[in-house]
Amino acid sequence: MTAAGRTAVVTGGASGIGAATVRALATEGYRVVVADIDESAARDLARELGDAVTAVRMDVTDEDSVAAGFRTAAGAHVVVHCAGSSIPGALTELELAQWQATLDVCLTGTFLVLEHAGRHVADNASIICLASLNGRQPGTGMASYCAAKAGVLMLVEVAALELAERGIRVNALSPGLVDTPLVAGVALVPGLREEYVENTPLGRSGRPEEIAEAAAFLASDRSGWMTGATIDLNGGAHLRRYPDVLGRVRAMAQTPPNP
Ligand code: NAD
């Protein structure tokens, strides 16, 4: 089946990897719903891409909002769940509310999307969740994000088992460092970006379009026999080690400002 006549919902579709995925799917001929908490950015993208792309406000931490979004998009053939955020901090200093905020968006948000998308998508649909290299590789200062993304990988496997009876496929994408607003803070910490790249065999960070390309593959029948799987997109970074984020941040805090 071609993409024409198929509908895709992209959560977190207003920025970064989500926005690149919206563009890729729209180019392939899908009707695309950009579902984002940032409604204004979602509308701007929809306006730019034309009639086949629409915008809806969705907060993935709010069950009513997620349920309403997927009821409206009932019968969708593809869901790409990109909404995500992170509050870094040392495990011994992280406040419960900070831990909870990351868990709410990344893990509970994924549960709510799988639950309500699972109810409302078409049979044989494809659901794709953005996990992360941090779902399998620990990083200092990233307790909540690592724990949440490890949870996403397992949720995807459980969902793949449960939804297979309707032919629905559920897969994950696990990117390494991709240049988006989410990781803009990396550039502010001296040496951190360089340490990422040193630990990436292919020697560079990723582009949102490279993740979108894999999302388009998982969305399509070209991946028709894949479910419960994860695609690592990280330039080989999973073969080395994660940078010492906390060490770099602490070193920065101890460096006196230039006179
Ligand atoms: P981004 O910040 O550019 O985009 C995230 C989008 O999610 C934004 O449009 C934001 O408004 C939206 N969002 C945030 N909270 C939301 C909520 N509660 N409800 C609905 N929408 C919400 O980030 P990105 O880098 O494109 O990240 C996309 C996904 O990829 C995330 O799940 C992230 O964890 C994952 N990821 C990113 C990287 C990276 O290096 N950029 C690496 C691995 C995994």
Side-chain angles (χ1 to χ4, degrees):
M1 193 196 260
T2 64
R6 285 180 153 195
T7 299
V9 179
V10 183
T11 77
S15 174
I17 291 167
T21 301
V22 169
R23 291 176 192 281
L25 295 179
T27 302
E28 290 207 2
Y30 290 88
R31 284 190 304 266
V32 187
V33 180
V34 187
D36 203 291
I37 198 167
D38 186 343
E39 191 178 7
S40 145
R43 286 197 189 289
D44 285 349
L45 183 61
R47 205 171 300 120
E48 179 199 324
L49 295 178
D51 290 346
V53 180
T54 54
V56 62
R57 184 185 184 280
M58 182 188 288
D59 176 356
V60 299
T61 69
D62 173 354
E63 181 160 21
D64 290 343
S65 170
V66 176
F70 284 105
R71 265 198 310 271
T72 306
H77 306 85
V78 172
V79 174
V80 189
H81 171 43
C82 300
S85 62
S86 172
I87 301 176
L91 188 54
T92 51
E93 291 160 19
L94 202 63
E95 289 170 18
L96 179 58
Q98 295 174 315
W99 159 271
Q100 195 66 57
T102 302
L103 268 284
D104 281 352
V105 177
C106 290
L107 186 57
T108 306
T110 302
F111 160 68
L112 290 173
V113 166
L114 286 169
E115 180 177 44
H116 291 280
R119 286 181 195 169
H120 294 294
V121 290
D123 288 352
N124 305 315
S126 172
I127 303 176
I128 299 134
C129 294
L130 267 291
S132 170
L133 171 62
N134 291 121
R136 64 188 280 191
Q137 194 175 61
T140 56
M142 303 186 67
S144 52
Y145 188 75
C146 290
K149 292 297 188 178
V152 168
L153 290 172
M154 185 50 77
L155 260 180
V156 162
E157 295 189 11
V158 174
L161 279 175
E162 292 193 15
L163 298 177
E165 64 187 12
R166 289 176 47 215
I168 297 169
R169 300 184 296 112
V170 188
N171 292 291
L173 294 174
S174 286
L177 181 68
V178 179
D179 296 309
T180 72
L182 181 71
V183 296
V186 169
L188 306 177
V189 182
L192 182 54
R193 189 183 169 76
E194 291 76 2
E195 197 179 337
Y196 271 110
V197 172
E198 276 163 24
N199 281 289
T200 302
L202 290 183
R204 65 170 177 85
S205 57
R207 295 184 288 273
E209 294 73 21
E210 292 174 307
I211 315 305
E213 180 65 30
F217 166 70
L218 287 177
S220 76
D221 296 340
R222 309 194 299 275
S223 59
W225 209 41
M226 278 183 75
T227 196
T230 301
I231 300 181
D232 288 312
L233 298 144
N234 59 36
H238 66 286
L239 303 171
R240 294 195 180 153
R241 65 168 182 82
Y242 208 71
D244 181 9
V245 177
L246 207 51
R248 294 267 174 198
V249 170
R250 284 178 171 154
M252 179 175 73
Q254 283 162 7
T255 307
N258 285 329

